[in-house]
């Protein structure tokens, strides 16, 4: 009887399998029996998408992040992407003009005395074309690549945030870029040469007090109507706006303005709500107010509000002319990805490089308990993160800027770069502050890190606040843009012709099913085998090969997990921001690892750099694993969560925290002069002068290395009792005692004296008169001791 049951059961399963096979092989039958009811239900539940939502989702292009989302990355394609390189003209500009302008800037003077760049610095930036890097040479600009733009901003950021931001903004999302893509020929020919030469200083006003991250909801508006311009009656717009956080607004001469345009009287056509529009307005146009400023955490780049109330301006002020009225949101979304790929990743990478260079040297120069602090394991731990994160975020910056030069506008990759570069740079600076201790918390001319510590939240906040970027954008936009079938399904469901929509939906749906099934079985196979048999179709460094295999495993698991999440949770995934954020974290960590592996290959597989790469990659793999755990642990359908865990991690977790031994090797790269240290901090501005707060650390490091063998002999003599009873045999004066005792000769004593003098400059903390900075009117009250 049992045998008969098995025979019947087997026959039933065979019939079912045959029916399923027929459904797949016979599209007309499949469409009628399966696709049609699903299609009808999908059309009902799919919400209508507004134009602004559609433009935001469809903006930009899909690049390498799409390969990762596919679950089967093509490593040969990744290796074939060219590594960005500078032209001779771009390299010369970096080596000469950038170095020269850095020498003009004293960050303490900028942030504490002038509250602005010096007049000489502004003049140099204009004269040398810093504001026209993205403007083609035919308009008088420098015509630099995106990578060169990134290199310049990175280098300037190692000197001063005010300097780098002042250069970054005119070359980012704003008047110049919008004119290049959408301006009329008349607008281009008039404005671009003036912007390139610094005759015009641009600003772009988008954010309002009532619409920050939700920029599409800006309440600023214009109403089409007749008015007077230059003595003539013309058709124009009465525009009202109230904007804040607008960089360069207080000093701009040309204000880019985003607002929603209305035409209640139908003067332009039948459409009443024309939509978001971008216009260019001279700062001295009647009614324009740009006269006040903010203080963004004492960075002192020019930033402030701008306002206007029913300011009349002709339609010709619209970027692209009247024909581009209502096209502003599309313009902004299409240009945002390119700017976000460069600006903040470059600024924050420069900040991280400066921290790695200066703090690493400081940790060798500064001693406690008769040992350089950089050799303490607790300090080593911080130095490891500083070095490894700097290595990784520079790799991300380079490849993402390089994508722009390849013609991409990587909307998702740029969001990943913005979020993770700024977050890791914040960790780098925080670790640096921990290492230098009291030196870092007392501001003054010799404090080389305090201002960076103050200013790290700026990068976290602007161009899409990091909380929003992580929880809503990376996976929310990535799922639609990067998934090979999801957007096709949505477009099919929104097709006006129901028959054509059904055909397209059927192709997409069953392509999606095959895609999800393949990733599920790949996930299980790679999990069961530990990915040891995963193919890597590229010539990669043997010491890095396992990471490629593990990325294959994680990519397949991520693609399948994303599909299960979308199937089970549907549109509620968008509202489950914590879950969405963790899914985005997995995609992000894979992108970061890919860039780090690419850097290691591009720089010639430098064995001395390997500890930095190993630690950064291992750390990111562990974070990706934690993100998988976070999704599964909080998945609302618990039996599905258990199933997910068994498929993705059949033998448990492959990663633990990065190795302390590898971390120690990474930390050593920061405290010892080497080619590795130079590559890691290649864009740092270094002026080896005793009067320069970073330059003197470099001098002290060289002096420390020269003095270390001599100091070791002094310590040995001390341990042997040669200086017992001598009150001068202390940490400050022991070299003098050693010389007087004959332990070291005169030449060695000179080495020790120079080291001590430079060390003392490095560890010195600035101090001021007790009433320094107190307003004159309050000084008598403050000088209470005079009585």
């Amino acid at each position: 009887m049992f045998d008969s049951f098995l025979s019947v059961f087997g026959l039933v399963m065979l019939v079912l399998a045959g029916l399923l096979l027929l459904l797949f092989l016979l599209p007309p039958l499949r469409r009628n029996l399966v696709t049609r009811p699903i299609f009808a239900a999908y059309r009902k539940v799919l919400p209508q998408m507004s134009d602004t939502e559609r433009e935001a989702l469809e903006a930009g292009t899909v690049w390498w992040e799409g390969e990762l989302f596919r679950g089967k990355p093509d490593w040969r394609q990744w290796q074939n992407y060219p590594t960005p390189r500078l032209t001779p003209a771009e390299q010369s500009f970096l080596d000469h003009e950038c170095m020269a302008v850095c020498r003009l800037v004293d960050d303490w003077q900028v942030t504490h005395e002038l509250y602005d760049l010096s007049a000489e610095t502004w003049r140099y930036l204009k004269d040398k074309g810093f504001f026209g890097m993205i403007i083609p040479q035919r308009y008088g600009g420098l015509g630099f690549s995106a990578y060169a733009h990134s290199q310049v901003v990175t280098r300037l950021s190692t000197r001063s945030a005010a300097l780098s931001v002042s250069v970054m903004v005119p070359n980012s999302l704003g008047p110049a870029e919008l004119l290049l893509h959408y301006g009329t020929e008349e607008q281009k020919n008039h404005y671009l040469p003036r912007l390139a030469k610094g005759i015009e200083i641009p600003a772009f006003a988008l954010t309002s007090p009532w619409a920050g991250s939700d920029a599409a909801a800006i309440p600023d508006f214009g109403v089409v109507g007749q008015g007077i311009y230059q003595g003539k009656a013309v058709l124009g717009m009465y525009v009202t706006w109230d904007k804040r956080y607008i960089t360069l607004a207080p000093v701009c001469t040309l204000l880019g303005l985003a607002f929603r345009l209305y035409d209640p009287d139908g003067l332009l056509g039948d459409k009443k709500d024309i939509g978001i529009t971008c216009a260019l307005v001279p700062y001295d146009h009647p009614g324009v107010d740009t006269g006040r400023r903010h203080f963004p955490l004492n960075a002192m780049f020019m930033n402030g509000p701008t306002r206007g109330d029913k300011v009349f301006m002709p339609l010709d002020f619209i970027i692209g002319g009247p024909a581009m009225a209502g096209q502003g949101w599309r313009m902004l979304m299409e240009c945002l990805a390119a700017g976000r790929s460069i600006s903040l990743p470059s600024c924050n990478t420069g900040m991280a490089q400066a921290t790695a260079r200066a703090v690493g040297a400081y940790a060798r120069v500064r001693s406690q308990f008769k040992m350089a602090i950089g050799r303490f394991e607790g300090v080593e731990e911080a130095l490891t993160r500083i070095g490894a994160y700097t290595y990784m975020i520079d790799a991300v910056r380079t490849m993402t800027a390089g994508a722009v030069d390849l013609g991409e506008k990587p909307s998702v990759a740029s969001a990943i770069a913005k979020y993770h570069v700024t977050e890791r740079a914040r960790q780098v600076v925080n670790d640096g502050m921990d290492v230098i201790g009291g030196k870092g918390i007392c501001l003054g001319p010799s404090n080389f890190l305090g201002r960076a510590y103050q200013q790290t939240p700026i990068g976290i906040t602007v161009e899409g606040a990091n909380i929003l970027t992580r929880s809503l954008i990376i996976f929310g936009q990535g799922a639609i843009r990067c998934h090979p079938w999801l957007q096709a399904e949505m477009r099919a469901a929104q097709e006006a012709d129901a028959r054509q929509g059904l055909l397209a939906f059927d192709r997409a749906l069953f392509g999606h099913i095959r895609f999800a099934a393949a990733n599920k079985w790949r996930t299980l196979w790679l999990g069961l085998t530990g990915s040891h048999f995963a193919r890597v179709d590229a010539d990669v460094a043997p010491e890095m090969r396992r990471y490629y295999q593990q990325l294959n495993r994680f990519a397949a698991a991520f693609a399948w997990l994303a599909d299960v999440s979308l199937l089970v949770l549907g549109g509620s995934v968008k509202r489950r921001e914590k879950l969405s954020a963790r899914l985005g974290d997995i995609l992000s960590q894979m992108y970061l690892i890919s860039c780090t592996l690419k850097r290691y290959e591009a720089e010639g597989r430098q064995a001395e750099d390997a500890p930095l790469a190993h630690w950064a990659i291992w750390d990111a793999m562990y974070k990706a694993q934690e993100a998988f755990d976070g999704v599964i642990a909080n998945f609302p359908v618990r039996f599905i969560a258990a199933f997910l865990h068994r498929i993705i991690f059949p033998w448990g977790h492959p990663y633990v925290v990065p190795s302390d031994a590898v971390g120690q090797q990474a930390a050593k790269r920061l405290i010892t002069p080497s080619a590795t240290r130079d590559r890691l901090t290649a864009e740092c501005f270094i002026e080896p002068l005793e009067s320069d707060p970073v330059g003197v650390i470099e001098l002290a490091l060289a002096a420390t290395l020269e003095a270390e063998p001599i100091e070791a002999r002094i310590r040995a003599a001390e341990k042997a009792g040669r200086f017992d009873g001598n009150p001068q045999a202390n940490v400050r004066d022991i070299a003098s005692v050693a010389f007087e005792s004959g332990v070291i000769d005169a030449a060695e004593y000179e080495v020790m004296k120079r080291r001590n003098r430079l060390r003392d400059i490095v560890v010195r903390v600035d101090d001021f008169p007790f009433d320094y900075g107190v307003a004159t009117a309050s000084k008598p009250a403050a000088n209470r001791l005079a009585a």
Side-chain angles (χ1 to χ4, degrees):
M1 183 175 177
F2 185 68
D3 290 342
S4 299
F5 173 78
L6 287 179
S7 298
V8 173
F9 180 76
L11 181 62
V12 170
M13 294 305 295
L14 188 62
V15 170
L16 287 174
L19 288 173
L20 287 173
L21 185 62
L22 278 174
L23 287 177
F24 273 91
L25 294 179
L26 299 174
L29 182 63
R30 181 181 76 200
R31 282 196 292 271
N32 284 315
L33 294 180
V34 178
T35 307
R36 190 179 298 278
I38 296 175
F39 179 62
Y42 192 73
R43 282 167 68 97
K44 287 181 180 178
V45 299
L46 187 68
Q48 287 297 312
M49 196 178 297
S50 68
D51 290 341
T52 54
E53 287 176 318
R54 182 178 294 105
E55 287 165 358
L57 285 172
E58 295 180 355
T61 59
V62 176
W63 188 53
W64 180 248
E65 65 273 34
E67 277 292 303
L68 295 171
F69 215 109
R70 194 168 61 89
K72 197 175 181 181
D74 183 344
W75 294 113
R76 186 173 299 167
Q77 176 184 329
W78 182 237
Q79 296 291 53
N80 287 338
Y81 284 129
T83 302
R85 298 280 185 250
L86 297 177
T87 67
E90 291 168 343
Q91 187 66 57
S92 175
F93 189 86
L94 196 67
D95 293 341
H96 297 98
E97 282 82 353
C98 286
M99 298 297 281
V101 78
C102 284
R103 291 189 185 97
L104 293 177
V105 175
D106 177 334
D107 198 52
W108 175 251
Q109 182 188 54
V110 168
T111 60
H112 193 74
E113 297 171 7
L114 298 178
Y115 300 101
D116 188 9
L117 298 173
S118 69
E120 184 183 9
T121 303
W122 278 109
R123 186 163 53 251
Y124 189 88
L125 292 173
K126 294 176 182 179
D127 292 345
K128 297 301 180 180
F130 279 86
F131 298 146
M133 288 192 291
I134 67 169
I135 297 175
Q137 292 179 358
R138 67 180 180 274
Y139 295 111
L142 297 177
F144 279 0
S145 63
Y147 177 60
H149 173 193
S150 176
Q151 289 288 90
V152 169
V153 173
T154 302
R155 178 156 295 178
L156 301 186
S157 296
T158 69
R159 185 61 167 174
S160 165
L163 175 63
S164 63
V165 172
S166 298
V167 170
M168 175 188 81
V169 168
N171 292 285
S172 185
L173 176 61
E177 186 168 7
L178 293 172
L179 282 168
L180 283 169
H181 290 288
Y182 310 106
T184 65
E185 288 304 311
E186 183 180 2
Q187 288 172 337
K188 291 178 184 178
N189 291 331
H190 175 73
Y191 283 120
L192 290 176
R194 296 173 64 82
L195 288 165
K197 295 180 175 65
I199 298 170
E200 301 281 7
I201 299 296
F204 189 80
L206 175 61
T207 304
S208 87
W210 304 276
S213 297
D214 185 13
I218 52 175
D220 313 287
F221 66 93
V223 178
V224 177
Q226 292 284 341
I228 303 298
Y229 179 65
Q230 294 182 343
K232 297 180 181 178
V234 297
L235 187 61
M237 312 164 286
Y238 290 88
V239 184
T240 298
W241 71 93
D242 185 354
K243 307 284 193 179
R244 63 180 181 181
Y245 311 145
I246 310 306
T247 300
L248 297 186
V251 295
C252 78
T253 61
L254 184 64
L255 179 67
L257 194 60
F259 55 92
R260 183 173 287 276
L261 184 62
Y262 296 91
D263 185 15
D265 298 327
L267 298 176
L268 299 181
D270 296 333
K271 197 172 183 180
K272 306 297 184 185
D273 182 356
I274 294 176
I276 292 176
T277 300
C278 295
L280 292 179
V281 190
Y283 81 106
D284 56 358
H285 185 75
V288 175
D289 178 6
T290 57
R292 297 180 68 80
R293 70 181 295 186
H294 305 306
F295 280 156
L297 292 175
N298 283 22
M300 294 309 160
F301 55 85
M302 284 294 170
N303 181 280
T306 174
R307 302 177 180 91
D309 183 25
K310 298 184 179 66
V311 176
F312 181 77
M313 54 189 75
L315 294 177
D316 288 343
F317 278 21
I318 296 173
I319 298 175
M324 293 301 287
Q327 300 299 309
W329 189 246
R330 177 174 65 85
M331 294 159 61
L332 294 172
M333 289 299 100
E334 288 178 352
C335 292
L336 176 63
R340 195 165 54 187
S341 297
I342 298 167
S343 301
L344 290 168
S346 303
C347 281
N348 283 265
T349 298
M351 192 181 292
Q353 284 197 17
T355 303
R357 185 89 186 187
V359 172
Y362 183 93
R364 187 69 173 265
V365 171
R366 177 68 158 153
S367 292
Q368 293 285 278
F369 306 104
K370 302 179 182 179
M371 184 169 70
I373 63 171
R375 301 193 189 281
F376 287 90
E377 285 198 2
V379 175
E380 271 184 355
E381 191 173 29
L383 292 175
T384 298
R385 285 192 297 268
I386 291 171
Y389 285 171
T390 300
Y391 185 90
M392 174 172 272
I393 65 177
D394 200 13
V396 173
R397 171 193 72 90
T398 298
M399 286 308 297
T400 311
V404 177
D405 284 328
L406 294 175
E408 301 287 349
K409 294 180 179 178
S411 54
V412 178
S414 66
I416 292 171
K418 189 272 173 181
Y419 176 84
H420 286 277
V421 170
T422 57
E423 288 292 344
R424 276 172 167 77
R426 171 157 65 176
Q427 182 66 60
V428 165
V429 173
N430 285 351
D431 282 329
M433 288 290 285
D434 285 352
V435 172
I436 66 174
K439 171 78 175 179
I441 64 173
C442 295
L443 289 175
S446 67
N447 187 326
F448 59 88
L449 196 57
R451 290 302 193 199
Y453 178 73
Q454 275 186 293
Q455 294 155 16
T456 50
I458 298 173
I460 301 295
T461 302
V462 301
E463 289 195 13
N466 276 12
I467 289 177
L468 175 143
T469 300
R470 176 174 176 258
S471 60
L472 292 179
I473 294 177
I474 293 176
F475 183 76
Q477 187 173 16
I480 296 174
R481 292 308 314 278
C482 299
H483 195 288
W485 298 107
L486 190 59
Q487 195 168 21
E489 290 168 341
M490 293 175 64
R491 285 174 176 163
Q494 292 169 339
E495 173 66 51
D497 185 331
R499 183 175 178 280
Q500 290 299 318
L502 178 64
L503 291 172
F505 188 80
D506 180 73
R507 286 192 297 271
L509 175 64
F510 280 87
H512 193 160
I513 291 170
R514 287 190 293 271
F515 170 77
N519 278 320
K520 173 190 171 182
W521 294 116
R522 286 188 74 243
T523 298
L524 180 60
W525 168 250
L526 293 171
L528 289 170
T529 61
S531 72
H532 285 283
F533 303 110
R535 292 181 60 187
V536 180
D537 293 327
D539 178 23
V540 301
E543 62 271 27
M544 299 292 168
R545 186 177 182 81
R546 280 295 293 148
Y547 298 130
Y548 290 91
Q549 292 179 316
Q550 289 282 27
L551 273 179
N552 283 341
R553 175 184 178 180
F554 277 16
F558 167 73
W560 183 59
L561 179 61
D563 267 328
V564 172
S565 300
L566 292 167
L567 175 65
V568 174
L569 303 176
S572 71
V573 169
K574 183 179 179 180
R575 296 189 297 276
R576 295 177 183 272
E577 294 175 23
K578 296 173 187 175
L579 211 65
S580 177
R582 295 179 183 114
L583 287 164
D585 289 343
I586 301 169
L587 178 62
S588 298
Q589 299 302 337
M590 292 192 296
Y591 181 73
L592 268 59
I593 295 165
S594 299
C595 292
T596 306
L597 291 168
K598 177 71 172 177
R599 174 179 182 169
Y600 188 77
E601 293 288 339
E603 292 183 347
R605 305 178 181 178
Q606 300 290 336
E608 285 299 305
D609 298 2
L612 296 168
H614 279 303
W615 198 96
I617 293 169
W618 196 280
D619 175 72
M621 285 286 196
Y622 182 71
K623 284 182 167 64
Q625 179 179 278
E626 285 188 312
F628 274 112
D629 280 345
V631 174
I632 295 169
N634 292 280
F635 204 81
V637 184
R638 297 312 303 152
F639 77 91
I640 293 179
F643 180 65
L644 289 169
H645 189 271
R646 288 300 178 192
I647 297 293
I648 295 173
F649 298 120
W651 306 120
H653 293 138
Y655 280 95
V656 293
V657 295
S659 159
D660 285 346
V662 174
Q664 184 180 61
Q665 292 304 310
K668 285 181 178 178
R669 276 33 179 196
L670 270 66
I671 66 173
T672 305
S674 65
T676 293
R677 181 170 177 260
D678 290 340
R679 280 189 293 270
L680 183 68
T681 61
E683 300 316 316
C684 281
F685 171 79
I686 304 294
E687 190 81 321
L689 300 173
E690 293 185 17
S691 58
D692 185 89
V694 175
V696 72
I697 300 177
E698 289 291 305
L699 296 175
L701 175 61
T704 297
L705 293 172
E706 186 181 5
E708 280 180 348
I710 304 170
E711 188 168 34
R713 284 174 33 225
I714 295 173
R715 295 299 180 198
E718 181 186 29
K719 191 173 182 179
R722 293 280 300 273
F723 314 138
D724 287 353
N726 191 326
Q728 288 187 304
N730 57 60
V731 66
R732 186 188 61 203
D733 304 319
I734 195 169
S736 300
V737 175
F739 174 59
E740 292 167 359
S741 303
V743 174
I744 59 175
D745 60 27
E748 291 170 326
Y749 183 41
E750 288 302 314
V751 170
M752 292 299 297
K753 284 200 296 184
R754 183 170 186 273
R755 190 288 304 268
N756 290 349
R757 182 174 60 80
L758 291 171
R759 176 204 62 200
D760 291 347
I761 295 173
V762 166
V763 302
R764 183 179 64 207
V765 173
D766 297 294
D767 54 61
F768 306 91
F770 85 96
D771 58 351
Y772 179 76
V774 178
T776 303
S778 62
K779 277 188 177 180
N783 195 8
R784 60 189 182 279
L785 298 179

